[in-house]
Amino acid sequence: MAALTEEQTLIKDQATSWASAEAPVSKFRAMRNEGAEVGFAELTWSAMVEMGWTGILVPEEYGGSDLGYLTFGLVLEELGKQLAASPLFASAYVGATALLLAGNDTQKSSHLPRIVDGTEIVTLAVDEGPRHAPARTACVAKAAGDKYVLSGTKTLVLEGMSATHFIVVARSAGSVGDAQGLSLFIVRADVAGLSRRPMKTIDSRGYAELSFNGVEVSDADLMGPAGQAGEVLDEVLDRARAGIGAEMLGVGSQAFAMTLDYLKTRKQFGAVIGSFQALGHRAAELFAAMELARSCGEAALQEIDAQSNSVAKACSLSKAKVGDFLHTMSNQLIQIHGGIGMTDEFDAGLYLKRARVLETLYGNQAFHRDRYARLLGF
Amino acid sequence: MTTSADLDGFRAEVSDWVQTNFPSALNGFDLGADSPSEKGVSGEFRAWRQALADKGWGTPTWPKEYGGAGLSDPEAKVIRREIAKAGAFNPIPPMTGMGVTMVGPTILEYGTDEQKAKHLPGIASGEVRWCLGLSEPNAGSDLASLSTKAVDEGDAFILNGQKIWTSGAHISQWCGAVVRTDPKAKKRDGISFVMLPMDQKGVETRLIKLISGASPFCETFFNDARADKKDLLGDLNDGWSVVKRLLQHERQSQTSAPAAVKIDQEPLQEQAKRYVGTLQDGTLADPDLRLRIVGNLMDAEAHKLTVSRITAEAKGQVKVSAAASILKNSMTRVAQTKAELTLEMMGNQGIGWEGEQFSDEELRSVRDWLMGKAMSIYGGSAEIQNNIISKNILGLPETTQQG
């Protein structure tokens, strides 16, 4: 754990005890079993709003506490440990980040306070195909006087069924594959021509597929200059990646803790299985990988807070290294638990399923290795 | 508590001092290529070493009375950085063999006042080189499995037996050795740690040639060698706890050392571009190699970040900790993988042993690759580090091995 300030330690402790008492993994399981379409429990979400977590990134003038990304990461990590589901990340982290970086004063003052008080859920709609590839945006924004007309689709939109607003990445110039020509619009979920369908995924969260059929938005809904959102979108996505990294550290460290506990208690061949050197070494390797991944994950959040000029590299490093660790860890969670690990009744499967979704969101390990190499110029 | 403003002042002072005192004749001296011995060094080299020793900056965190400067870890880091920034180097640790990195810190902790006064100043000034007599033939990583005997002869112990992998024994003045002082006690309970001069009739060394062609290691034979009783470090028959501490210092010293040496080396990806070429979009022409190089660069960065995170968590005080095992293994993996990638990238030019068809850089890469295979073996093999992690950090039960 990074060296924390007193305030950060308090928030982390609060998140740890709240998550284990009020939003343990059994609560997520119950929500899954009920098949809640939005993919979270209302009471869990309203408690988070009350605790002020929705304002961690938001400046005080908009009703937030402006405590920064590392602090938010601490909360996301603790929630990740319990698989606590809510729109916190999609709206108060990614949505708020997009507004802070790309929004104008009017957009900020109309949405940020409502993100903080939970009356709005603002989420980013970026991906369209099977792979995360912002440059391959095909959703078109056609200028028509002081309006734009949006046509196209979006897939795997986080908290898409409960969202009140979407921040939509659309192409106002260039062709598919072009990193240039992208624009950002903030679009009401109930606007005419926009329809959404739930997507049932392995991790039982609330994702939506959106289709835009001639959706009219006004100039006032455009965030930043038209056709020039590529760079700021990258900055938003990088912050999102670092936040996902924090949650992944939580999921992975919990998977490690469960595995270690099992190694210390499960007996086979007349001995605790953790006394077998093959398993002891595997645990040591996993632990070392976790420590290295944690350094990368925390460094990304710290670089964002420090507004350093190597945020992009740090975030790709985080998503790739934390992703590698979580991938291995979630597989070993099942393998080391043996048969019990395969049952739905045991929690291991829930962690494995969440792990794969987190890995793919905003670019998997391969995406970020490629990006890291490009950032280094080769 | 040192404030950052204090550190800035100190940084300026160190920078000035290094500029003034580092002899320009030593620019480009490759400290990494071979550890200098007293015989092969120039007058400038000796003057530079002496200047550093006079300030106590060769071993800045050691107490002043024993040749150090009594500084904090952050201040020591400033000295390290400023020396590197000026293209200079600190010759004292490598000139002392195991002196600065392992023996000194252990004497500071276990030594009597008399032992500290006798041994530490010679190490701090870079004048006395130390080797260690730990491993024995057939013992491998099982260090407690030793048979070198030390018999009590009044003022001294008389040693008989053989040690192996005694790095630099042929040019060392002193040796720290683990010896069996109570053959009847349990394996780890009858061991003591003694210090003895190498320049005596009963000590003989032989070089061991390695696959890389180099001979940094020796076999050392004790035939009625004498170790003064005043040079028993720690209590009689309690040598195992001294050794454990010594090994912690060893792991600590291995976590960042290799990266510190070659600071100006061309990055792997730039070298790769020269050997492999690039595609039109600027990416490496061999996409498989490209991704494996990225993986290695990421691992290196993760290692670096972990070193700084652990330092930050310890509030600037780098302590000898269990984390050293994690760092030793990760450093080793990064270095060995990088060496393999370098060789692969060089292709036909990466397999040369000698001759002018191969550049110096190519030949050095081959030797480094071979030499690097030792990293996961010496100082406690990768497997031993994993034992330490699983037992000491994770609290898993002792494995089936006895001892």
Side-chain angles (χ1 to χ4, degrees), chain B residues 149-365:
Chain B
K149 280 190 192 65
V151 178
D152 190 336
E153 290 264 319
D155 292 343
F157 294 104
I158 303 300
L159 276 57
N160 278 287
Q162 183 190 347
K163 295 288 177 182
I164 193 167
W165 309 121
T166 45
S167 317
H170 60 305
I171 47 171
S172 293
Q173 287 85 47
W174 278 80
C175 176
V178 275
V179 291
R180 192 155 293 290
T181 36
D182 183 356
K184 281 178 231 141
K186 267 174 57 190
K187 208 163 138 190
R188 289 178 182 172
D189 297 338
I191 296 172
S192 299
F193 190 96
V194 295
M195 303 181 279
L196 69 156
M198 294 293 281
D199 183 20
Q200 57 167 304
K201 215 171 72 217
V203 178
E204 191 199 327
T205 60
R206 269 183 228 156
L207 288 168
I208 303 171
K209 191 170 169 180
L210 298 182
I211 51 177
S212 63
S215 305
F217 297 109
C218 297
E219 291 176 288
T220 300
F221 300 87
F222 298 132
N223 291 307
D224 291 334
R226 286 174 65 88
D228 198 312
K229 264 197 177 163
K230 287 181 181 153
D231 283 322
L232 171 72
L233 188 61
D235 293 335
L236 185 68
N237 295 327
D238 187 35
W240 188 246
S241 60
V242 180
V243 170
K244 277 202 300 193
R245 205 70 186 136
L246 195 75
L247 294 179
Q248 286 183 336
H249 286 295
E250 178 177 44
R251 287 192 288 278
Q252 194 82 1
S253 71
Q254 287 166 355
T255 55
S256 56
V261 181
K262 292 173 189 164
I263 38 172
D264 293 330
Q265 207 186 35
E266 187 184 19
L268 194 55
Q269 67 271 27
E270 297 305 319
Q271 264 182 303
K273 281 186 194 168
R274 282 196 283 111
Y275 279 94
V276 181
T278 53
L279 301 176
Q280 273 190 341
D281 65 354
T283 62
L284 206 63
D286 178 342
D288 177 56
L289 179 67
R290 172 176 180 259
L291 286 182
R292 286 183 291 127
I293 289 176
V294 182
N296 181 248
L297 293 172
M298 285 185 158
D299 286 345
E301 190 64 20
H303 173 82
K304 221 173 78 190
L305 289 170
T306 305
V307 172
S308 24
R309 177 167 68 88
I310 288 171
T311 312
E313 286 168 13
K315 304 235 187 305
Q317 300 293 311
V318 186
K319 290 206 177 69
V320 172
S321 70
S325 290
I326 294 171
L327 294 175
K328 197 222 159 189
N329 275 359
S330 94
M331 182 73 237
T332 300
R333 185 157 34 227
V334 168
Q336 289 182 338
T337 307
K338 183 177 179 188
E340 290 285 1
L341 288 169
T342 306
L343 212 65
E344 182 186 334
M345 165 193 88
M346 289 175 171
N348 295 343
Q349 293 302 113
I351 50 174
W353 185 251
E354 56 189 19
E356 59 194 23
Q357 298 94 330
F358 303 101
S359 71
D360 289 349
E361 187 189 24
E362 287 160 355
L363 293 175
R364 195 167 52 237
S365 294

Side-chain angles (χ1 to χ4, degrees), chain A residues 15-348:
Chain A
T16 311
S17 54
W18 181 83
S20 53
E22 305 297 330
V25 64
S26 57
K27 227 173 188 171
F28 168 75
R29 176 184 288 280
M31 187 277 297
R32 180 202 71 161
N33 292 348
E34 286 160 19
E37 188 177 74
V38 293
F40 60 89
E42 271 301 334
L43 282 176
T44 305
W45 173 225
S46 54
M48 289 180 184
V49 175
E50 264 167 46
M51 286 185 288
W53 292 348
T54 42
I56 293 176
L57 296 183
V58 177
E60 289 174 23
E61 57 178 313
Y62 303 116
S65 52
D66 203 5
L67 292 171
Y69 284 86
L70 180 63
T71 307
F72 210 128
L74 298 171
V75 173
L76 291 173
E77 180 177 346
E78 295 308 315
L79 297 177
K81 287 182 187 168
Q82 302 294 341
L83 304 180
S86 80
L88 184 71
F89 173 72
S91 183
Y93 188 102
V94 185
T97 295
L99 279 159
L100 285 168
L101 295 182
N104 57 37
D105 288 345
T106 316
Q107 289 160 344
K108 285 189 216 174
S109 51
S110 71
H111 296 289
L112 287 172
R114 291 165 164 274
I115 287 177
V116 175
D117 70 20
T119 48
E120 283 185 7
I121 293 174
V122 181
T123 183
L124 184 69
V126 53
D127 287 338
E128 299 179 10
R131 311 283 282 193
H132 174 67
R136 300 199 59 80
T137 296
C139 181
V140 177
K142 208 172 161 193
D146 58 354
K147 284 186 165 58
Y148 289 89
V149 180
L150 302 181
S151 305
T153 60
K154 291 288 168 185
T155 190
L156 206 70
V157 177
L158 274 66
E159 315 302 337
M161 297 311 292
S162 57
T164 58
H165 295 78
F166 298 103
I167 292 173
V168 180
V169 183
R171 180 170 294 288
S172 41
S175 51
V176 175
D178 238 343
Q180 309 298 316
L182 300 180
S183 302
L184 291 175
F185 296 92
I186 183 152
V187 182
R188 291 178 63 89
D190 58 5
V191 69
L194 169 57
S195 60
R196 50 181 161 181
R197 278 200 306 164
M199 292 177 77
K200 298 278 182 204
T201 52
I202 49 175
D203 65 341
S204 310
R205 307 281 170 125
Y207 301 96
E209 184 184 71
L210 309 182
S211 66
F212 296 82
N213 291 306
V215 171
E216 286 193 1
V217 292
S218 76
D219 258 350
D221 302 319
L222 177 66
M223 299 171 74
Q228 291 173 37
E231 210 169 292
V232 76
L233 176 63
D234 246 3
E235 291 176 18
V236 173
L237 288 170
D238 270 330
R239 281 149 185 80
R241 288 155 184 156
I244 291 264
E247 181 178 346
M248 290 166 97
L249 279 174
V251 175
S253 60
Q254 186 65 19
F256 181 81
M258 290 161 73
T259 305
L260 184 61
D261 187 50
Y262 193 70
L263 286 170
K264 288 178 178 176
T265 49
R266 168 72 169 164
K267 283 189 179 160
Q268 293 239 282
F269 308 106
V272 170
I273 61 172
S275 68
F276 304 144
Q277 199 177 44
L279 291 179
H281 282 193
R282 211 181 298 172
E285 298 275 349
L286 290 168
F287 181 74
M290 177 165 73
E291 286 295 298
L292 291 157
R294 171 170 299 285
S295 310
C296 300
E298 291 180 358
L301 294 162
Q302 285 169 324
E303 299 235 357
I304 295 169
D305 283 332
Q307 301 180 322
S308 97
N309 52 17
S310 46
V311 164
K313 256 178 69 189
C315 292
S316 274
L317 178 72
S318 165
K319 193 74 187 8
K321 291 308 295 176
V322 178
D324 282 344
F325 160 64
L326 183 58
H327 189 88
T328 311
M329 186 64 244
S330 55
N331 284 338
Q332 286 301 322
L333 171 66
I334 305 287
Q335 178 65 27
I336 292 177
H337 277 86
I340 181 85
M342 290 299 299
T343 64
D344 181 68
E345 186 192 355
F346 190 66
D347 289 336

